């Protein structure tokens, strides 16, 4: 009998926006003690998209280095996970075809379930590869967290994209077979089609996240998963980084372990560095936590990492990856820190102006000014068609 090949993350790459707002600037104008953001939420800055950036430009910027390294010969599927959809019908990833030279012999789909959909895409990719280990799947989680101005959620905005190449015999991390699932109809966060910002019951979303995490863990344990003590580290979905600490505390209690701050710190150390300065990137946030861990921790070869994915509404999944030997040679640590450090700081007035910028909807021809230097840009909109270009 043929042995089932391992499947997992073969390459991963991150992109974010052209602009950044320091949360001290937000705190000053909102008359809020900055410690609420830095300590209470665990956030220092937020990525802010330029008018010529969106989930497609971030997705293209994240995916391009992966395609440069691996080519497209084995690429059969492109899955884009987002809750910042630019169209009600067409998958955002189809716009990547001319930008990235994607082969026409690919299936291309957009997945949605709030911040969870990236994990759904990864699991679907694993299923496809189990059926045909010769094929590779490009998963891109790309999102812009855009809340109503002057609301408590405003400080948790952010934007980013993580592209993952999922394949057999992965170079970075193997997906372990056991996963724990939980879903329930919860109205903690949603965005009706007619709104540009979500409706969110922030405190309810925190308790919903914690409850769903505990249930997913219970399912995981019941299916023969690892003991909590076996994991070298834990990556959580991070709408703001202190949420990861709340979630791990809750998971320890659920597992019957007395939570100890030192153990929690050790378990999450290195997983929050990027999200602290990017803000919420919804579907990308969990995979940015994993990127941060791999980039900053010491040698994790053969270490099992627990991952908790949560999407309001709500779906949670606890699963794990095992880091493979030689993974460090495949990381893109320098490119990620450059994407973060090269963002252009903006002041509060510019941030407010950008927040209120919306594409015209009249079907006319509109050309957008050049802002981004990210490699791909939204050049304008004509006849209701978004026009992208390489820059
Ligand atoms: N110094 C240190 N910490 C401070 C502080 C200060 N001066 N002022 C407040 N804090 C702490 C609070 O104690 C709280 O921490 P705790 O939850 O551990 O007690 C934290 O900062 C946030 O303060 P809080 O008053 O709860 O904030 P808020 O009600 O204004 O909004 C959210 C917080 C998360 C509800 C809001 O940002 C939101 O709605 N976000 C979007 C939804 C979301 O991210 N949900 C997460 C699950 S998906």
């Amino acid at each position: 009998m043929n042995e089932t090949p391992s499947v997992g993350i073969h390459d991963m790459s991150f992109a974010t926006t052209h602009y950044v707002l320091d949360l001290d600037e937000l705190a000053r104008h909102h008359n809020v003690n900055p410690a609420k953001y830095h300590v209470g939420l665990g956030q220092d800055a937020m990525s802010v998209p330029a008018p010529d950036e969106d989930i497609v430009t971030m997705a293209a910027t994240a995916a391009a280095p992966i395609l440069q390294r691996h080519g497209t010969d084995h690429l059969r599927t492109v899955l884009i996970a987002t809750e910042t959809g630019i169209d009600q019908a067409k998958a955002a990833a189809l716009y990547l075809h001319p930008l990235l030279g994607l082969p026409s012999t690919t299936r291309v789909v957009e997945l949605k379930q709030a911040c969870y959909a990236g994990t759904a895409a990864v699991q679907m990719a694993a299923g496809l590869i189990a059926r045909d280990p010769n094929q590779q799947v490009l998963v891109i989680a790309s999102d812009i967290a855009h809340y109503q101005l002057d609301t408590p959620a405003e400080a948790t905005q952010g934007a980013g994209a993580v592209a993952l190449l999922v394949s057999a015999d992965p170079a970075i991390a193997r997906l372990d077979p056991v996963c724990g699932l939980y879903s329930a109809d919860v109205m903690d966060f949603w965005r009706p089609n007619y709104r540009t910002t979500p409706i969110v019951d922030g405190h309810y979303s925190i308790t919903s996240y914690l409850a769903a995490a505990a249930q997913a863990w219970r399912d995981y344990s019941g299916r023969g998963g690892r003991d909590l003590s076996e994991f070298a580290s834990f990556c959580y979905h991070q709408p703001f980084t202190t949420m990861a600490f709340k979630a791990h505390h809750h998971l320890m209690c659920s597992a019957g372990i007395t939570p100890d701050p030192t153990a929690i710190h050790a378990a999450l150390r290195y997983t929050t560095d990027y999200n602290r300065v990017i803000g919420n990137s919804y579907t990308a946030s969990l995979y940015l936590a994993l990127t941060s861990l791999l980039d900053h921790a010491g040698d994790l070869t053969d270490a099992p990492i627990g991952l908790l994915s949560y999407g309001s509404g709500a779906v949670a999944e606890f699963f794990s990856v095992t880091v493979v030997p030689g993974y460090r040679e495949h990381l893109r640590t320098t490119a990620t820190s450059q994407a973060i450090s090269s963002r252009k700081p903006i002041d509060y007035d510019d941030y407010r102006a950008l927040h209120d910028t919306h594409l015209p909807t009249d079907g006319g021809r509109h050309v957008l000014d050049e802002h981004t230097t990210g490699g791909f840009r939204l050049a304008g909109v004509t006849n209701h068609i978004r026009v992208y270009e390489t820059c």
Side-chain angles (χ1 to χ4, degrees), residues 132-150:
D132 173 10
N134 198 38
Q135 66 174 264
Q136 297 179 326
V137 178
L138 179 64
V139 170
I140 313 172
S142 184
D143 262 311
I144 298 168
H146 185 75
Y147 290 105
Q148 210 172 320
L149 291 170
D150 306 318

Side-chain angles (χ1 to χ4, degrees), residues 23 25 43 99 120 148 154 204 256 278 284 296 311 320:
L23 288 194
E25 182 81 359
Q43 292 303 130
L99 294 177
Q148 210 172 320
E154 187 180 356
Y204 182 42
I278 294 298
H296 296 115
S320 67

